[in-house]
Amino acid sequence: MQSIADRVKLHNGVAMPWLGLGVYKAQAGEETEVAVKEALKVGYRSIDTAAFYFNEESVGLAVRQLGLPREEVFVTTKVWNSDQGYDSTLNAFARSQEKLSLGFVDLLLIHWPVPGKYVETWRALEHLYKQGKVRAIGVSNFKIHHLQDILDHGEIVPMVNQVEFHPWLNQVELLEFCRSNKIQLEAWRPLTRGEIFSDPVITGLAEKYQKTPAQIILRWHLEKEVVVIPKSVTPERIRENAAIFDFELSPDDVALIDSLNKDRRLGPDPDHIDF
Ligand code: NDP
C-alpha cells in the first residue's frame, strides 16, 4: 500500500480502495458535497454512506458533479435496521439507488445484525447482487456468530464486514475469522473520533515518524490489511488523513499499537442493539 490508488481485491474480484471517506454525521447538502468533492480531488476513490446518514443524495450529487468515470469511484451504502426483511430490503435499496443516482452501487451492507431478520435481509442482498445492481455485498457490525449464521444459511460469502476497529478495539479473533473466510475487514470509527490522539504511545510514534496521530493510527490499520474510512468534513483533515502512503510502520511499532487494545467499544455492542 504505497499509493492512495491502491485497492484490495475482494473475494469476487472487485477492487476496493484501502482508504475511503466516511460521511456519518456529515450534514446533507453543502457540508457533505464539499467534503466528498475535496476527497475525490485529493485522490480518495471510495465514499462510505448509508440510508441512515440521510446524505446519500448529496454524496451522489458530488460524485456526479466531480465528473470522474463512474467505475473509478467506489460507493458503499447500507440497509437500515427498520428496513430489514426480504421485500423491505429490496424497497430500501431502490430508494438508496434513486437517491444516489449513480446507476449501480459498489458495495451494499447490512448495517446491523437485527436478530431474526438478518438472514432474510442477506437473501435480498444476494438477489440484488445476482441482478447486477450491486458489485459486492457485505455486512456491518457482525460478530463471528452472526457471520457463521450467514455462512451456514446463505449462498454467497459476504465480501466485507465493516466493524468498529481501532487500537482500543483491535478485534483479533474477528480479524482472523474474516481472513480465513476471505471476508475483508473494514474499520469504522478508526480514529476514535480523536479520543486516542493524546495517548503517549501514539504521540511518541507521531514524533518518531514525523506524522500526526491520525496518520499513525490510519497507517496501523493499513499495516493490518484493514480497509479504513476516516470521516472528516474539514478539508485540511481530509488531506491529512490521505497522506499515509509515504511511510510504513515497523512490525515492532505495529505491535506496540496492538498493545493498546482494551476491548473498548465506543459504539454499541452488536449483540445488544435496541435501535
Ligand atoms: P472517526 O474515527 O472517523 O472520527 C471522525 C471525527 O474525527 C470527526 O469528528 C472528525 O472531525 C474528526 N477528525 C477526522 N480526521 C481528523 C484529524 N486528522 N485530526 C483531528 N480530528 C479529525 O469516526 P466515525 O464514527 O465518523 O467513523 C468513520 C466512518 O465510519 C463514518 O463516517 C461512517 O462512514 C462509518 N461508520 C459506520 C458505522 C457502522 O455502524 N457501520 C458506525 C459509525 C461509523 P471533522 O469532520 O469535524 O473534521
Side-chain angles (χ1 to χ4, degrees):
M1 296 152 217
Q2 287 162 345
S3 152
I4 194 170
D6 285 351
R7 295 181 180 225
V8 55
K9 241 187 202 167
L10 304 178
H11 75 66
N12 67 337
V14 165
M16 177 179 193
W18 285 107
L19 174 72
L21 180 76
V23 294
Y24 179 38
K25 299 223 180 264
Q27 291 295 310
E30 199 184 342
E31 187 171 79
T32 298
E33 291 164 26
V34 169
V36 170
K37 284 186 198 165
E38 178 65 25
L40 294 175
K41 282 184 208 155
V42 175
Y44 289 67
R45 288 293 177 268
S46 169
I47 312 292
D48 182 82
T49 183
F52 181 69
Y53 304 167
F54 302 105
N55 55 22
E56 288 168 306
E57 275 169 341
S58 307
V59 168
L61 182 68
V63 169
R64 292 196 308 281
Q65 284 183 344
L66 209 85
L68 292 164
R70 172 66 189 90
E71 320 74 68
E72 269 194 35
V73 187
F74 189 99
V75 177
T76 300
T77 194
K78 314 184 189 89
V79 180
W80 185 240
N81 302 351
S82 52
D83 290 321
Q84 288 200 34
Y86 192 87
D87 290 331
S88 40
T89 293
L90 297 183
N91 291 334
F93 173 74
R95 287 196 299 276
S96 285
Q97 198 179 23
E98 192 180 330
K99 286 184 178 151
L100 287 163
S101 287
L102 292 167
F104 61 87
V105 163
D106 293 277
L107 176 62
L108 181 64
L109 303 177
I110 301 179
H111 209 141
W112 290 88
V114 176
K117 293 238 174 131
Y118 61 81
V119 173
E120 275 307 295
T121 306
W122 183 248
R123 295 214 170 94
L125 263 60
E126 290 178 333
H127 177 70
L128 292 165
Y129 177 68
K130 287 180 195 164
Q131 283 188 315
K133 292 187 173 171
V134 295
R135 295 178 67 230
I137 51 177
V139 294
S140 176
N141 298 303
F142 275 44
K143 292 188 174 181
I144 291 175
H145 71 92
H146 300 115
L147 290 170
Q148 193 59 58
D149 227 8
I150 296 287
L151 297 179
D152 292 344
H153 300 289
E155 260 183 71
I156 301 174
V157 175
M159 285 120 208
V160 171
N161 185 20
Q162 181 187 111
V163 297
E164 182 178 344
F165 186 105
H166 43 68
W168 286 336
L169 182 70
N170 69 15
Q171 306 263 27
V172 174
E173 283 145 24
L174 182 63
L175 182 56
E176 185 46 42
F177 183 88
C178 286
R179 272 193 192 135
S180 57
N181 286 284
K182 301 193 168 25
I183 300 168
Q184 177 60 45
L185 206 78
E186 179 178 22
W188 66 253
R189 193 83 29 99
L191 296 174
T192 67
R193 289 191 173 150
E195 274 191 56
I196 202 176
F197 288 178
S198 54
D199 182 289
V201 167
I202 301 297
T203 52
L205 291 172
E207 179 73 26
K208 173 175 171 183
Y209 288 90
Q210 290 293 295
K211 285 284 179 180
T212 66
Q215 290 166 338
I216 295 292
I217 293 162
L218 295 172
R219 185 71 210 185
W220 169 81
H221 287 79
L222 297 185
E223 308 294 4
K224 298 179 81 65
E225 300 186 344
V226 171
V227 168
V228 77
I229 45 168
K231 176 262 178 183
S232 179
V233 292
T234 314
E236 308 84 73
R237 291 175 175 172
I238 291 172
R239 288 193 289 275
E240 174 186 335
N241 295 345
I244 55 173
F245 295 95
D246 57 354
F247 76 113
E248 281 174 22
L249 295 171
S250 72
D252 283 352
D253 290 333
V254 171
L256 187 59
I257 300 177
D258 286 347
S259 74
L260 298 180
N261 181 55
K262 38 188 169 179
D263 295 332
R264 179 173 165 207
R265 287 182 190 278
L266 303 175
D269 184 323
D271 275 330
H272 304 287
I273 50 169
D274 56 358
F275 49 87

